[in-house]
């Protein structure tokens, strides 16, 4: 079985900006550079033939490369405890459009539609249950509330395989497809 997801990868300068915000919460498991991405669709575990169908469907996705910017930080809670620290990405419209196209491609490959609402973000850290109410979390949010970047394009759709291990997940790009940058062909 292959554990897959579809994402966009921010350029190196944006990943550096995000890395600068990864401090101040001692128990956080901060993402490393290879883990920084914006998920468009989590797939989960599928067998190889389904993965091949997904790749074939994604090859047919044609959309403009979204131009976005980093805009603030936030948290996700589970059962009253913060379990994720993230950076926001805006504007949402182009990302939501691309998310719908990717979700439709996954449907053509036999997957059910994504049931959750889509909130564009880049995960910066995961927190153990024991840290979910730490006062440092509020301090981190306050310090990084103004996190922002100049606009940047995310020019490739990437199919990733996630490998779960003792230290967390590692992500391996399996395939990638260019999005339309609007630049003329050379």
């Amino acid at each position: 079985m292959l554990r897959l997801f579809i994402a966009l990868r921010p350029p190196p300068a944006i990943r550096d900006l995000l890395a600068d915000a990864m401090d101040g919460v001692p128990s956080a498991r901060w993402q490393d550079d290879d883990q920084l991405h914006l998920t468009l669709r989590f797939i989960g575990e599928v067998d190889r033939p389904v993965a091949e169908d997904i790749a074939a469907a994604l090859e047919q996705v044609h959309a403009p490369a979204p131009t976005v910017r980093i805009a603030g930080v936030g948290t996700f809670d589970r059962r009253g405890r913060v379990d994720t620290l993230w950076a926001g990405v805006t504007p949402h419209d182009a990302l939501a459009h691309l998310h719908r196209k990717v979700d439709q491609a996954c449907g053509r490959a036999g997957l059910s539609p994504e049931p959750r609402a889509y909130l564009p973000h880049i995960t910066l850290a995961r927190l153990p249950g024991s840290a979910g109410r730490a006062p440092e979390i509020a301090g981190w949010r306050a310090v990084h509330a103004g996190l922002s970047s100049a606009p940047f394009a995310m020019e490739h759709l990437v199919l990733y395989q996630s490998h779960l291990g003792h230290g967390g997940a590692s992500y391996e790009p399996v395939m990638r497809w260019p999005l339309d940058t609007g630049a003329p062909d050379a």
Side-chain angles (χ1 to χ4, degrees):
M1 297 293 278
L2 305 170
R3 182 178 162 89
L4 303 175
F5 66 92
I6 302 154
L8 301 169
R9 181 116 161 102
I14 298 303
R15 296 192 315 264
D16 289 345
L17 171 79
L18 297 172
D20 289 345
M22 293 187 205
D23 64 2
V25 182
S27 56
R29 289 187 322 267
W30 299 103
Q31 302 289 82
D32 63 30
D33 184 75
D34 291 336
Q35 294 173 310
L36 293 173
H37 66 274
L38 186 148
T39 300
L40 289 168
R41 168 73 196 254
F42 178 74
I43 296 169
E45 291 190 356
V46 296
D47 59 23
R48 186 162 300 281
V50 173
E52 291 169 358
D53 289 346
I54 292 166
L58 289 172
E59 190 170 359
Q60 302 305 312
V61 172
H62 299 284
T67 297
V68 296
R69 64 183 183 78
I70 301 298
V73 296
T75 59
F76 288 134
D77 299 359
R78 185 180 308 194
R79 295 186 211 113
R81 293 180 185 268
V82 173
D83 69 349
T84 306
L85 307 177
W86 50 262
V89 181
T90 191
H92 293 189
D93 293 347
L95 294 168
H97 175 73
L98 186 54
H99 165 75
R100 282 190 299 277
K101 284 185 162 263
V102 165
D103 202 38
Q104 290 166 353
C106 288
R108 288 191 299 276
L111 300 179
S112 299
E114 174 63 55
R116 296 176 288 187
Y118 182 63
L119 175 65
H121 69 280
I122 298 172
T123 297
L124 300 181
R126 306 256 184 229
L127 298 172
S130 61
R133 294 190 178 135
E136 294 90 355
I137 295 169
W140 179 84
R141 285 188 73 164
V143 166
H144 298 291
L147 183 66
S148 66
S149 73
F152 61 94
M154 290 200 272
E155 299 177 352
H156 292 89
L157 192 62
V158 184
L159 177 63
Y160 283 93
Q161 183 174 356
S162 174
H163 303 279
L164 300 178
H166 295 294
S170 64
Y171 306 138
E172 172 189 358
V174 177
M175 295 186 78
R176 71 184 214 156
W177 301 268
L179 295 168
D180 182 8
T181 61
D185 292 336

